[in-house]
Amino acid sequence: MIEILILVLVFFVLLAIGVPVAWSIGISCLLTIMVSIDSLASFTTIAQRMATGLDSFSLLAIPLFVLAGQIMNQGGIALRLINFAKALMGALPGGLIYVNVIAAMLFGAISGSAVAATSAIGGILGPFMEKENYSKEFGAAINITASTTGLVIPPSNVLIVYSLASGGVSIASLFLAGYIPGILMGLALMVVAAFWIKKKGYPAGERSSMGVVLRTFFDALPSLFLLVVVIGGIVTGVFTATEASGIAVLYTLVLSFAYRELKISSLKSIFLSSVGTTAIVMLLIATSMSMSWVMSFENIPQNVSAALLALSDNKFVILIIINVLLLFVGTFMDMTPAVLIFTPIFLPVVTSMGVDPVQFGIMMVMNLCVGLCTPPVGAVLFIGVGVAKTSIQKIMKPLLPLYAVMAIVLLLVTFIPAISLWLPSLFE
């Protein structure tokens, strides 16, 4: 109990006083292990566990997908996807809201980054929406929530992290499992948008001709083809997820130069930005892996499993409890450390009750996506607010119904396994 109290209290105290999450995790792990072994061995052990945690070929996909996302953001890919979405949906009343959702799903799916989708889509669509007198606050809210669909629809760095934390769940199966839940989430957000648009009485936009639709489609087709190359190659076994990330970088680089949107001089800033993002993510992964080891050393997962199973032997009750706990965790912890820390704790519990690890991975990621949209830690929330030039206080009201439908879709994925498992089953 002493070790558990030290781990939890030190971690939360450090977070409360503003220490970065990665440092909070690392320091709390070090102080916890020092109770059991001497100081020098504690420092050595934590350092070794951090290094060992990063020694994975699968993790190489993360910096490469980050780099591919940065290239897409500056290479004109987002603009072409938005133009295609606008040609499809722009004629509907309040069409730019639907365009925002579809564009965020497409761009998020191609880049695998909610942050990149939020900044790119919000930055491009924001001025158009403001010009046509859309509510800045609702536009920002829909942009923030829709961007998280890219973390479920593949390729997704978080699903790669879950595969590592779970002990080797198939990345191809996780990628396939994310399609239907991600699309379902996007459609649910569009339903809320439809009610809001009807309430505000927005007029219909100008209908695009079939020629415009076809032109924008073919303009965006090379970008969309990246999904076929990356996911198709992984699913068919032509290459691994890590090799696919390298292909994604090469493909987006060639495509951006072909679009003449990217200059050689821009590569320096792209590389520096990618390195900065990768460094933060990798430090989080390293310290989170050390925390996972410390918890295992202190038998914390076994104790938590026993405590949960003592509460109830009903699978649905346990899944609801886990969802509530993860929703709470997501409000103050970034997705990557949350996945690495809580997967070893909760996965044995749910698998013992017959839940498929693939389904649980999708459930966990969708759950933590809500945390990206909530204060005080939500990165996507802060970026979306910054891009829209508004405040968190002003967008909380339009965010509430969007939170509600995200929770409904999460419950559907939790209690209906076929939503996430049907597509992977076709490729077994």
Side-chain angles (χ1 to χ4, degrees):
M1 284 299 296
I2 293 174
E3 289 85 354
I4 296 173
L5 285 172
I6 291 173
L7 183 67
V8 174
L9 288 176
V10 171
F11 175 67
F12 280 108
V13 168
L14 291 173
L15 276 183
I17 63 176
V19 177
V21 175
W23 286 95
S24 299
I25 294 171
I27 293 169
S28 59
C29 290
L30 180 62
L31 294 178
T32 302
I33 203 68
M34 285 174 70
V35 175
S36 303
I37 57 180
D38 63 67
S39 301
L40 182 59
S42 298
F43 278 96
T44 305
T45 301
I46 294 299
Q48 285 177 338
R49 292 299 163 181
M50 288 176 65
T52 304
L54 295 177
D55 187 16
S56 170
F57 181 69
S58 297
L59 286 180
L60 187 59
I62 293 177
L64 291 174
F65 275 130
V66 168
L67 177 58
Q70 291 285 348
I71 295 170
M72 292 175 202
N73 206 4
Q74 298 189 34
I77 293 174
L79 181 60
R80 283 160 176 80
L81 293 174
I82 289 172
N83 287 338
F84 174 51
K86 194 172 180 181
L88 285 177
M89 309 294 290
L92 296 174
L96 285 181
I97 296 292
Y98 300 121
V99 171
N100 196 315
V101 177
I102 293 174
M105 290 170 67
L106 291 173
F107 186 74
I110 292 173
S111 69
S113 170
V115 171
T118 306
S119 57
I121 306 302
I124 295 171
L125 271 182
F128 286 104
M129 296 176 75
E130 194 171 345
K131 184 179 179 181
E132 296 187 21
N133 297 318
Y134 283 76
S135 166
K136 181 188 293 187
E137 286 70 33
F138 190 83
I142 205 79
N143 182 42
I144 289 164
T145 50
S147 297
T148 61
T149 58
L151 298 176
V152 185
I153 303 173
S156 168
N157 290 337
V158 182
L159 290 177
I160 295 171
V161 172
Y162 172 78
S163 174
L164 174 72
S166 63
V169 174
S170 167
I171 294 176
S173 296
L174 288 168
F175 278 7
L176 285 170
Y179 274 111
I180 295 176
I183 293 170
L184 195 60
M185 183 71 80
L187 291 174
L189 295 174
M190 291 173 75
V191 169
V192 175
F195 280 104
W196 181 83
I197 289 165
K198 186 176 181 180
K199 180 181 177 182
K200 295 293 181 180
Y202 280 103
E206 185 179 343
R207 183 177 297 276
S208 299
S209 66
M210 183 56 66
V212 172
V213 172
L214 290 175
R215 180 176 58 77
T216 55
F217 169 71
F218 285 112
D219 204 21
L221 188 60
S223 305
L224 296 171
F225 188 66
L226 178 61
L227 280 175
V228 179
V229 174
V230 172
I231 307 304
I234 294 172
V235 170
T236 57
V238 176
F239 40 71
T240 66
T242 305
E243 292 164 344
S245 64
I247 291 170
V249 171
L250 182 62
Y251 186 95
T252 53
L253 199 59
V254 171
L255 187 59
S256 296
F257 281 123
Y259 283 155
R260 296 184 179 179
E261 299 275 355
L262 191 66
K263 299 178 181 178
I264 295 291
S265 58
S266 304
L267 291 178
K268 180 180 177 181
S269 63
I270 290 173
F271 287 137
L272 285 174
S273 179
S274 300
V275 168
T277 302
T278 301
I280 294 169
V281 171
M282 288 303 179
L283 181 58
L284 282 169
I285 290 174
T287 54
S288 299
M289 292 299 284
S290 70
M291 180 173 273
S292 296
W293 181 86
V294 168
M295 289 192 299
S296 178
F297 182 79
E298 302 295 350
N299 291 320
I300 294 175
Q302 293 87 334
N303 294 332
V304 173
S305 298
L308 284 173
L309 294 173
L311 289 174
S312 174
D313 58 358
N314 187 305
K315 178 174 72 174
F316 299 111
V317 173
I318 295 296
L319 286 172
I320 289 173
I321 293 171
I322 290 174
N323 268 319
V324 171
L325 290 172
L326 288 174
L327 284 169
F328 172 71
V329 166
T331 61
F332 65 84
M333 186 179 290
D334 192 67
M335 286 188 76
T336 299
V339 168
L340 287 167
I341 292 167
F342 290 97
T343 297
I345 294 176
F346 293 138
L347 186 59
V349 179
V350 297
T351 52
S352 69
M353 306 188 87
V355 177
D356 192 286
V358 173
Q359 180 197 355
F360 181 71
I362 300 300
M363 183 195 95
M364 191 176 200
V365 170
M366 291 188 74
N367 190 306
L368 295 171
C369 279
V370 180
L372 289 176
C373 310
T374 58
V377 178
V380 173
L381 173 67
F382 291 115
I383 289 171
V385 166
V387 169
K389 297 178 182 177
T390 182
S391 67
I392 293 175
Q393 292 81 359
K394 290 181 179 179
I395 70 164
M396 286 311 298
K397 185 177 179 180
L399 272 174
L400 291 176
L402 298 172
Y403 288 154
V405 294
M406 291 177 82
I408 291 169
V409 174
L410 172 62
L411 289 174
L412 291 174
V413 172
T414 300
F415 297 126
I416 306 176
I419 293 176
S420 48
L421 298 180
W422 176 72
L423 201 54
S425 69
L426 298 179
F427 290 84
E428 290 180 351

